[in-house]
Amino acid sequence: MHVLNGILIVLMATLALGALFVLYCRWRYPEPHLNWSEIDIESIKFPADFLWGAATAAHQIEGGLHNNWSEFEDSRGLERSGEACDHWNRWQEDFEMLSELGLTTYRFSIEWSRLEPEAGEWDSEPLQAYSDMVDNLISRGIRPVVTLHHFSHPAWWEDRGGFAKKENLPHFVAYCERVFEALSDRVEVWCTINEPIVFSSMGYTLGQFPPGHRSIWQTLRTMRNLMRAHSELYVSLKSRKPDACIGMAKNVTLFDPLNRWSPVDWAVARLLEWLWSGAWLGGIRTGRMLGSRISGSKGSLDFIGLNYYTHFLTGLFMPTTGELSFAKRENEVLTEFGYPMYAEGFKRAIDLVSALDVPIEITENGVADSKDVLRPDHLRRHLWILSEAIGEGHDIKSFHHWSLMDNFEWAEGYSMRFGLYEVDFETQERTLRKSGELYRKIVKEHMKI
Ligand code: IFM
């Protein structure tokens, strides 16, 4: 009898605590959904000096690369990046498209494997080509924003363990310093690493990016090393040029519980969001990440780059192998990638990174939409949210649409189309989409103010 009473009391206490936890979370982490039909999404306001742009990454557009990704594509039988958009040979025409859209900022990445194809063997030609690109952009009145690592690096460095090994970081830092030496007389804004959490979770937890591992310990180690790499770079680059503007591009995916009544789903969502974002923002704020002190990380940002796409609805039973499947709320629309369009979350993501107290650059936002049916609304809704956030006083400098043109979408190959320009990969012909025209119109209207 005593035992039964005891069990009953424990059960009741657990239920009560669970209910309190759910109530607290529902209050602390609201998940707003707006009635878009009642909102005038055309009424947006941007400051006159707001920068309008687009973003790309080397491995996704340049073509003809041999690096960790091309090896992974081969070894996993994935669609090959191959010629990609042949941007390496067509960049002048592609920059013409930036001008055609009236853009004033362009984010692109440098391909380390071109510069140092073998350990210690440097090729100066590609660096000259990147330098020419920078000159060309500036001559068009477009601000170049350079990303030093956007998922790809030389195969030889991957073979040595890449970011999973702390002793490999000096190679990476040396490569970045070389690029910085060559371009920082003209490039003011730098992203050290693109989406470190996507890189570590896709490459080391889910195994869908190179090196294709599935290990929590390696993930945690890689996360710390990425933070170390960023911090070392920040210190080194700032010592070379104190007025350089150095940040990282942070993917903020929001995690919401599949069932808002379930304490378990809430616990999973909070834990994942902490690993995805909290640990990184905490690392910058406190100088510590995942239990380790990361030298130089405290305050190592002059701006935060925000890449925002969606929220994930999470619970206890989530597939981690094969095709990932995403849930959505009843009133949400799924994008071609499978995750929902959730523009309201853009404001939550902005609020989240605002805690860092540095200016914000929207380094990516866009949608996979081959038929261009969702993109116009996607664009308008996100710009409306952005305009509201600026109106509330958030210091947001720029918006870079992902992407300028369709390109190689990593493990998804060429099936996901994110471009303002549609690319025919047989002929390399680029065609401005309707949403591209819309973006051009918005940019034109808002630059006059
Ligand atoms: O294509 C990617 C990009 O490389 C990083 N951010 C998300 C984009 C769309 O999935």
Side-chain angles (χ1 to χ4, degrees):
M1 199 57 187
H2 275 93
V3 178
L4 263 185
N5 275 348
I7 293 177
L8 214 62
I9 289 170
V10 171
L11 212 68
M12 301 282 278
T14 313
L15 283 177
L17 280 177
L20 279 177
F21 176 61
V22 169
L23 281 177
Y24 168 76
C25 289
R26 290 177 76 119
W27 164 77
R28 177 77 182 74
Y29 304 102
E31 189 194 320
H33 281 90
L34 299 172
N35 186 349
W36 289 100
S37 60
E38 284 177 3
I39 292 175
D40 179 8
I41 45 177
E42 304 209 358
S43 110
I44 51 176
K45 266 205 202 112
F46 285 88
D49 59 353
F50 189 77
L51 295 166
W52 296 92
T56 61
H59 187 75
Q60 296 181 267
I61 61 168
E62 285 184 0
L65 292 169
H66 175 228
N67 56 22
N68 60 328
W69 256 96
S70 63
E71 294 212 334
F72 188 69
E73 292 155 25
D74 288 347
S75 68
R76 290 294 169 105
L78 296 175
E79 186 169 12
R80 292 199 167 113
S81 49
E83 191 183 56
C85 303
D86 193 29
H87 175 75
W88 194 247
N89 299 308
R90 296 169 191 259
W91 61 265
Q92 312 223 18
E93 291 96 302
D94 289 342
F95 286 2
E96 198 52 50
M97 304 191 310
L98 296 170
S99 297
E100 194 177 311
L101 291 171
L103 303 185
T104 45
T105 179
Y106 173 58
R107 172 176 175 240
F108 65 105
S109 75
I110 307 286
E111 180 57 38
W112 177 9
S113 67
R114 281 194 192 280
L115 272 51
E116 194 181 5
E118 295 301 332
E121 283 176 24
W122 294 91
D123 185 351
S124 58
E125 261 178 47
L127 193 49
Q128 184 53 51
Y130 285 121
S131 175
D132 293 345
M133 289 185 198
V134 166
D135 285 340
N136 190 301
L137 288 169
I138 293 171
S139 74
R140 293 170 181 278
I142 298 172
R143 176 190 71 160
V145 175
V146 169
T147 304
L148 290 161
H149 187 274
H150 193 124
F151 297 165
S152 59
H153 49 242
W156 61 263
W157 197 64
E158 184 81 325
D159 293 343
R160 295 180 185 195
F163 281 111
K165 294 209 174 127
K166 199 169 155 184
E167 56 270 31
N168 289 339
L169 300 187
H171 295 287
F172 173 65
V173 174
Y175 140 73
C176 295
E177 288 171 343
R178 196 175 273 249
V179 176
F180 192 79
E181 286 293 328
L183 307 183
S184 62
D185 56 335
R186 288 151 294 150
V187 175
E188 285 166 14
V189 182
W190 296 79
C191 292
T192 53
I193 298 174
N194 177 69
E195 301 184 343
I197 186 59
V198 175
F199 177 87
S200 38
S201 58
M202 292 296 278
Y204 293 89
T205 316
L206 298 175
Q208 298 190 357
F209 278 17
H213 295 177
R214 292 174 62 83
S215 151
I216 293 294
W217 300 117
Q218 280 198 34
T219 308
L220 298 176
R221 199 176 321 132
T222 305
M223 284 172 70
R224 282 192 210 97
N225 287 341
L226 285 159
M227 185 59 110
R228 284 191 182 104
H230 162 80
S231 314
E232 276 183 41
L233 266 183
Y234 183 83
V235 173
S236 160
L237 305 187
K238 288 298 270 190
S239 73
R240 280 153 214 268
K241 199 165 181 266
D243 62 345
C245 197
I246 319 276
M248 66 160 70
K250 172 81 193 80
N251 177 302
V252 174
T253 296
L254 304 162
F255 290 81
D256 288 313
L258 186 57
N259 300 295
R260 288 184 69 80
W261 50 261
S262 159
V264 176
D265 290 9
W266 270 110
V268 173
R270 296 328 311 146
L271 174 69
L272 291 180
E273 194 166 292
W274 178 76
L275 278 170
W276 195 271
S277 292
W280 302 89
L281 304 191
I284 302 283
R285 280 207 309 256
T286 64
R288 296 187 68 81
M289 188 196 208
L290 304 170
S292 300
R293 203 181 78 78
I294 310 282
S295 164
S297 77
K298 191 169 177 181
S300 60
L301 284 181
D302 299 319
F303 74 93
I304 182 72
L306 171 60
N307 294 1
Y308 175 74
Y309 288 90
T310 191
H311 68 160
F312 289 158
L313 302 180
T314 51
L316 199 51
F317 303 106
M318 290 181 304
T320 63
T321 49
E323 287 264 301
L324 295 183
S325 62
F326 304 92
K328 69 168 192 73
R329 299 293 184 214
E330 215 180 302
N331 49 349
E332 292 175 351
V333 181
L334 285 184
T335 68
E336 271 173 23
F337 219 114
Y339 50 68
M341 164 157 96
Y342 178 50
E344 296 86 332
F346 196 16
K347 176 62 173 39
R348 291 169 61 192
I350 291 169
D351 287 340
L352 199 82
V353 296
S354 290
L356 291 167
D357 218 10
V358 290
I360 301 169
E361 303 256 356
I362 306 303
T363 34
E364 285 183 29
N365 175 249
V367 61
D369 178 23
S370 55
K371 307 227 163 45
D372 207 35
V373 285
L374 210 54
R375 194 172 291 103
D377 259 356
H378 189 278
L379 186 62
R380 283 213 178 277
R381 287 185 189 184
H382 285 81
L383 290 180
W384 186 85
I385 295 277
L386 194 56
S387 146
E388 293 285 298
I390 293 173
E392 273 182 24
H394 286 286
D395 184 9
I396 307 174
K397 307 281 182 210
S398 67
F399 176 81
H400 296 84
H401 185 272
W402 184 271
S403 178
L404 173 65
M405 57 188 151
D406 293 342
N407 56 47
F408 178 73
E409 180 56 31
W410 310 111
E412 320 296 322
Y414 290 101
S415 61
M416 296 298 150
R417 305 296 184 111
F418 278 90
L420 293 167
Y421 282 84
E422 182 176 2
V423 176
D424 178 333
F425 289 100
E426 295 288 312
T427 62
Q428 288 297 349
E429 194 187 339
R430 280 87 158 124
T431 311
L432 187 63
R433 289 199 162 99
K434 284 266 173 275
S435 53
E437 285 174 22
L438 172 67
Y439 189 45
R440 179 173 62 189
K441 184 168 156 276
I442 295 174
V443 171
K444 203 169 168 198
E445 274 168 20
H446 291 275
M447 281 210 306
K448 279 194 299 209
I449 296 172

